[in-house]
């Protein structure tokens, strides 16, 4: 679609790195065979370097095994020594007491050594296949004879697991020393680690459990180096909290191959010695092992540090290499307060900062498929991601000073909750949700962890903290039938099984309104797919409502609500918007959370804050089609959805929206809000913005579910504070942890219908209702928006007074925009979460009240009770024609009543009404009628009391 088309696909290409992983598959070695296939649930891929027909003399063989297990490799080496000359070998052999050709079979088992997730390596030493010239000098006849001594080696091996042969192969060592000067491969791991290949993430393996270690606890490490040439050095180095590299003292370890090498050399030198004793001098060299291992221990560290470690190797030809790095944070061992951190970015940071050298060394071994592509693609994408400023180090060591910390991936969250039993959980920038990639899918719904998270938080009253892009929602609509999910939309989506049970991160954070906007966007897109223009559907469906990488001012101020909620925050604080070496910024916020807080949307619009310029990266869908033609996102696009919801008419669960697309037109669409989503909206109790940035783009939101016995507290940081090694970050994280862990049950809420009402407000409402005469007609739970209307339908079957009591606990006032139907007078009063509308009717009629919110929250819950009190004949003196063709009037939140055909009175110049118990202040006509009704009611009650006393005396 061209730029001149009426509609362009305008979507954010937020800074995200994308890669398509065909994870370590289809690695096929020629001349291989698989045995016992029916007995194995999983057949590993195996790659041999060099290939069987390319193994030259003295060249070691590496067997790379791709499988989620440790394997035994049973090796059988066959060495044949022959001799040729003027005398037949058999005759010479008989003369020397040897049988030629001389054969030796040497068997050994080598346990494969893991060096990368899902990969291990086995080693076969370089063997000799070579002809040696020898001269025989007769001691008696003094003549010489030339001989050729040949040593020919061959190998067969089997890969075995649990006694089952799952792979076998063989090769003959060819003549000639044709191997190249390849660098060694080195890798590092923790002995007896339980983490081996439990994850398919491209990351250094054998990291400490939870990427953390207690203060004072040492870490034992083993480094291995293997290559074509003898090694000259192998060492382990570590760095503490970004400091200089320290070389650790290490001890040599046996690799298990030494005895076999010694046995081969002993055999060959025995043959050479035997030949020499008969005057045949054949200089057969020893074979050498080109694999080494060392062990070291990193000393225990103080809490609040982090440690990075690696191994380095070089051979006798000065070829050098480094391993993938490992790391861990040091937590306070004396603390019993456990913090579970879900942060896949930590391991991605390790990839970017340690993979380059490892790739250079291992790629020299011509592993063109699987492993090399996997590692190289991971590094390439991490590098590109880093160029956008999205890949940053996270300073979780700051909270390690006071707490125990455990870091995991989103895919392991469910098991980590069960095993670690944390006091609080931190979700760090979980913005990616690529379903085709286990590496890049951090969506808690895809990982099946949303239910486990919500259950754990509610049942254990555990604190919840989320940062930056954890509410990211981007999905690209390539067509109405083909969509590519990029963001972690499941964290905010409406398709979760039961929103009222908190199986949704947005709801857990107290802002289910964000899910409503997602629902409307998708349903409007579906409408255009069916009824209008699919290209419009693709444009609307591809609009991200949550954008995770927006630069902001870095200056924040705490609000008065922070103190009211007991959250200790600095009055003013600032993050330096520094830049990396490549010029990309470090400081980002997610924008889109403001949809639940319209006053902040208004601030952004009024100040013309623009964040539509975005860097892009290559993006492909699951079929490999390039998606980079999608244009950058504009804030105006987000406002299309926002305004559609805020200006809609709401009839129960039906949402009537007028969707306006610039340059195309206006479309009226009716949507049915799913019951589970409606329950979540009705049961929401507004969280508080406890800090806001000077440009309105970043904020901190606190939520306290104090009224429920399944309650908890949560905090959402819209920005990446974990990327800053500052006192401010430490203070904010510490205060947030202390606050979310201090939840207490305070049962001062009452559930009226499906709406949570503060108990004191409910008591006031009950008092007012009891003070009003008449009978209850109906009650209902509903949601109100800020610029549209929610409709209440009332049937009055006789003349009388209709009382409509509206409880709106998250909004100080509501506004009655108009009343449709025949009525003679109305009165509206509102105060502190309660509004009362009084309408007098003189005959049977149907009324429709149109309400809207007047609140800092655009979508608010409200509970409504309607009572009707019939009027007796003779009350009032209103002619019948007053009720015919009644002019629709507006009863506003400030208590004034004006005709819609007239200009409304300025609220600043009108008296504000106040509701005390059952008293109301309104128009003069309404006040007079209220007084008349009150006096008549009191007179009737007094008469009945007097009559009762008089009868009693009789």
């Amino acid at each position: 679609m061209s730029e001149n088309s009426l509609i362009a696909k305008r979507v954010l290409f937020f800074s995200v790195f994308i890669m398509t992983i065909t994870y370590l598959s289809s690695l096929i070695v020629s001349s291989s065979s698989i045995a016992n296939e029916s007995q194995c649930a999983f057949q590993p891929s195996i790659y041999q370097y060099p290939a069987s027909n390319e193994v030259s003399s003295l060249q070691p063989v590496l067997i790379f095994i791709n499988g989620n297990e440790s394997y035994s490799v049973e090796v059988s080496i066959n060495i044949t020594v022959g001799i040729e000359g003027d005398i037949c070998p058999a005759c010479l052999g008989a003369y020397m007491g040897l049988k030629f050709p001389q054969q030796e079979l040497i068997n050994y088992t080598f346990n494969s050594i893991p060096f990368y997730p899902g990969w291990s390596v086995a080693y076969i030493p370089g063997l000799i296949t070579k002809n040696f010239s020898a001269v025989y000098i007769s001691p008696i006849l003094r003549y010489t004879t030339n001989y050729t001594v040949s040593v020919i080696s061959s190998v067969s091996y089997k890969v075995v697991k649990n006694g089952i042969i799952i792979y076998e192969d063989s090769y003959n060592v060819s003549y000639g020393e044709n191997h190249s000067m390849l660098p060694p491969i080195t890798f590092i791991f923790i002995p007896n680690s339980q983490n081996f290949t439990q994850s398919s993430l491209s990351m250094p393996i054998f990291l400490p459990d939870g990427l953390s270690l207690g203060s004072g606890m040492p870490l034992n490490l083993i480094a291995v180096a293997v290559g074509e040439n003898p090694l000259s050095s192998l060492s382990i180095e570590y760095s503490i909290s970004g400091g200089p590299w320290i070389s650790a003292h290490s001890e040599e370890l046996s690799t298990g191959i030494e005895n076999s090498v010694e046995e081969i050399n002993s055999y060959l030198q025995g043959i050479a010695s035997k030949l020499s004793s008969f005057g045949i001098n054949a200089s057969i060299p020893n074979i050498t092992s080109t694999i080494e291992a060392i062990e070291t221990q990193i000393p225990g560290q103080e809490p609040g540090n982090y440690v990075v470690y690696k191994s380095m190797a070089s051979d006798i030809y000065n070829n050098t290499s480094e391993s993938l790095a490992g790391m861990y944070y040091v937590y306070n061992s004396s603390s019993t307060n456990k913090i579970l951190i879900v942060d896949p970015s930590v391991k991605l940071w390790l990839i970017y900062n340690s993979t380059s050298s490892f790739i250079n060394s291992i790629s020299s071994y011509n592993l063109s498929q699987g492993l090399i592509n996997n590692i190289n693609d991971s590094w390439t994408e991490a590098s590109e991601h880093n160029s956008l400023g999205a890949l940053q180090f996270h300073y979780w060591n700051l909270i390690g000073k006071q707490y125990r910390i455990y870091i995991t991936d989103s895919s392991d969250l469910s098991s980590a909750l069960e095993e670690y039993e944390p006091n609080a959980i931190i979700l760090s920038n979980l913005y990616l949700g690529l379903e085709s990639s286990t590496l890049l899918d951090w969506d808690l719904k895809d990982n099946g962890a949303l239910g486990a998270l919500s259950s754990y938080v509610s049942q254990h009253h555990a604190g919840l903290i989320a940062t930056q892009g954890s509410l990211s929602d981007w999905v690209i609509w390539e067509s109405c039938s083909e969509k590519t999910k990029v963001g972690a939309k499941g964290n905010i989506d409406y398709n979760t099984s039961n929103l009222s049970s908190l199986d949704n991160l947005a709801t857990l954070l107290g802002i289910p309104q964000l899910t409503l906007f997602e629902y409307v966007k998708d349903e409007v897109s579906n409408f255009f797919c069916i009824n209008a223009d699919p290209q419009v559907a693709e444009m609307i469906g591809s609009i991200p409502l949550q954008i995770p990488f927006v630069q902001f001012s870095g200056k924040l101020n705490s609000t008065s609500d922070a103190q009211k909620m007991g959250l200790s925050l600095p009055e003013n604080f600032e993050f330096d918007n520094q830049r990396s070496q490549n010029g990309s910024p470090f400081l980002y916020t997610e924008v889109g959370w403001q949809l639940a807080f319209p006053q902040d949307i208004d601030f952004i619009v009024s100040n013309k804050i623009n964040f539509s310029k975005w860097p892009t990266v290559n993006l492909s869908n699951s079929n490999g089609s390039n998606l980079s033609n999608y244009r950058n996102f504009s804030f105006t696009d987000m406002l299309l959805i926002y305004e559609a919801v805020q200006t809609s008419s709401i009839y129960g669960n039906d949402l009537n929206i007028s969707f306006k697309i610039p340059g195309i037109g206006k479309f009226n669409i009716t949507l049915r809000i799913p019951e589970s989503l409606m329950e979540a909206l009705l049961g929401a109790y507004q969280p508080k913005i406890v800090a806001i940035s000077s440009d309105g783009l970043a904020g901190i939101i606190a939520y306290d579910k104090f009224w429920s016995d399944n309650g908890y507290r949560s905090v959402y940081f819209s920005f990446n504070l974990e990327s800053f090694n500052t006192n401010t970050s430490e203070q904010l994280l510490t205060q947030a942890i202390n606050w979310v862990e201090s939840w207490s049950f305070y049962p001062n809420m009452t559930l009226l219908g499906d709406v949570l009402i503060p108990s004191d407000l409910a008591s006031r409402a009950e008092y007012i209702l009891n003070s009003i005469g008449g009978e209850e007609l109906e009650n209902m739970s509903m949601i109100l928006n800020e610029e549209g209307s929610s409709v209440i339908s009332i049937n009055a079957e006789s003349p009388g007074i209709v009382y409509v009591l509206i409880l709106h606990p998250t909004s100080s006032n509501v506004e009655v925009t108009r009343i449709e139907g025949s009525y003679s007078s109305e009165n509206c009063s509102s105060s502190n979460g309660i509004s009362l509308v009084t309408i007098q009717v003189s005959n049977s009629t149907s009324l429709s009240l149109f309400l809207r919110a007047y609140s800092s929250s655009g979508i608010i819950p409200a509970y409504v009770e309607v009572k009707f009190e019939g009027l007796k004949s003779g009350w009032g003196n209103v002619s019948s024609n007053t009720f015919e063709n009644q002019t629709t009037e507006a009863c506003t939140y400030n208590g004034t009543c004006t005709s819609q055909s007239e200009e409304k009175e300025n609220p600043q110049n009108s008296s504000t009404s106040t509701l005390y118990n059952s008293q109301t202040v309104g128009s003069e006509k309404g006040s007079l009628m209220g007084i008349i009704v009150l006096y008549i009611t009191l007179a009737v009650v007094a008469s009945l009391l007097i009559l009762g006393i008089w009868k009693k005396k009789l």
Side-chain angles (χ1 to χ4, degrees), residues 691-757:
I692 190 75
S693 64
S694 58
D695 52 15
L697 296 177
I700 305 174
I701 301 172
Y703 178 61
D704 187 357
K705 194 177 179 182
F706 55 83
W707 62 88
S708 171
D709 53 6
N710 289 321
Y712 60 92
R713 285 177 170 181
S714 69
V715 172
Y716 172 58
F717 293 93
S718 75
F719 52 95
N720 56 327
L721 79 166
E722 64 267 46
S723 299
F724 290 82
N725 188 21
T726 64
N727 291 333
T728 300
S729 289
E730 181 180 351
Q731 183 179 4
L732 291 176
L733 284 168
T734 301
Q735 291 294 337
I737 291 171
N738 292 342
W739 186 78
V740 297
E741 291 184 350
S742 300
W743 176 88
S744 60
F745 180 49
Y746 185 57
N748 70 333
M749 301 289 280
T750 301
L751 189 65
L752 296 180
D754 295 317
V755 181
L756 284 168
I757 307 294

Side-chain angles (χ1 to χ4, degrees), residues 169 194 241-242 325 361 544 646 695 742:
D169 201 357
Q194 299 300 314
S241 298
S361 62
Q646 290 291 16
D695 52 15
S742 300

Side-chain angles (χ1 to χ4, degrees), residues 2 109 122 127 146 150 204 235 245 290 325 339 433 451 480 554 581 727 853 879:
S2 67
T109 298
L127 302 172
N146 294 323
S150 63
S235 63
W245 288 100
T290 58
I339 312 300
C480 289
Q581 293 180 352
N727 291 333
S879 61

